Amino acid sequence: MKVFHLAAVAGLLIAGPAFAQPKPASPKPAPAAPAAPAVPSVLGEWLVEDGTAQVRVVSCADGVWGIISWTKGEPGVDSKNPDPAKQTRSVLGMPILLGMKPSADKPGRFDGEVYNAEEGDNYISHISLSSPDLLRIEGCVLGGWICGGQDWTRVKTPPQKGALTDQAVCSELPR
């Protein structure tokens, strides 16, 4: 009898897994969707075509703005500004891309104004990416009929220590 009980217990131990309730399979997580590539943005730091200055482009509540954030030599002053009170201001921190908004009819383009400190005038302006690291800026006269432009190169170095945050840049802009 002992042999029978021993055989029965051994049989249950061996067969047990076959009669046991299967564990519910845990659902396999869906394969992760591939990360969407980051959409290139006009925001960031840009070296102007002749290499003499950098323009920091930021998004503010009322549009995209660009300020001069660096100059190759000593920063000059805005001596040609028609407002005498601004003729002694430093060009550092001076807004030159003014209230650019997404174009209604051309995706990826922003329309607004550009301030040309060399002449002290504002012009109709458009900016758009030619490639992720190349910003095309155009200034136009005669109501936008004649436009000239430059290609600015993205600067990939992080902002310098003590640089203003985007929020601080926006709070300093004229309205």
Side-chain angles (χ1 to χ4, degrees):
M1 186 86 153
K2 283 185 181 179
V3 172
F4 176 73
H5 289 298
L6 223 42
V9 171
L12 285 175
L13 289 175
I14 294 169
F19 293 108
Q21 291 284 333
K23 281 186 178 178
S26 48
K28 291 186 178 181
V39 176
S41 172
V42 298
L43 305 180
E45 194 78 24
W46 298 92
L47 181 65
V48 301
E49 194 169 72
D50 69 3
T52 59
Q54 288 181 12
V55 175
R56 182 171 174 192
V57 179
V58 299
S59 179
C60 299
D62 60 343
V64 171
W65 290 73
I67 64 157
I68 297 176
S69 60
W70 172 86
T71 59
K72 188 173 187 174
E74 285 295 315
V77 294
D78 190 15
S79 62
K80 303 277 181 154
N81 196 303
D83 180 351
K86 293 181 180 178
Q87 291 177 354
T88 58
R89 73 176 173 172
S90 173
V91 298
L92 278 180
M94 183 177 69
I96 62 166
L97 295 178
L98 314 172
M100 310 291 280
K101 301 206 181 333
S103 173
D105 58 345
K106 297 194 177 176
R109 186 173 98 171
F110 290 78
D111 301 325
E113 292 186 331
V114 62
Y115 174 66
N116 181 338
E118 292 174 357
E119 299 169 5
D121 286 322
N122 288 359
Y123 296 96
I124 293 170
S125 181
H126 315 288
I127 60 172
S128 60
L129 291 176
S130 298
S131 71
D133 294 328
L134 199 65
L135 181 73
R136 179 73 181 166
I137 175 170
E138 295 180 331
C140 306
V141 296
L142 298 175
W145 286 95
I146 300 173
C147 300
Q150 294 185 357
D151 293 320
W152 294 354
T153 306
R154 187 179 300 275
V155 176
K156 295 186 179 187
T157 56
Q160 293 182 356
K161 189 175 182 177
L164 294 175
T165 64
D166 288 0
Q167 182 180 13
V169 169
C170 292
S171 69
E172 297 288 322
L173 295 171
R175 301 287 184 245

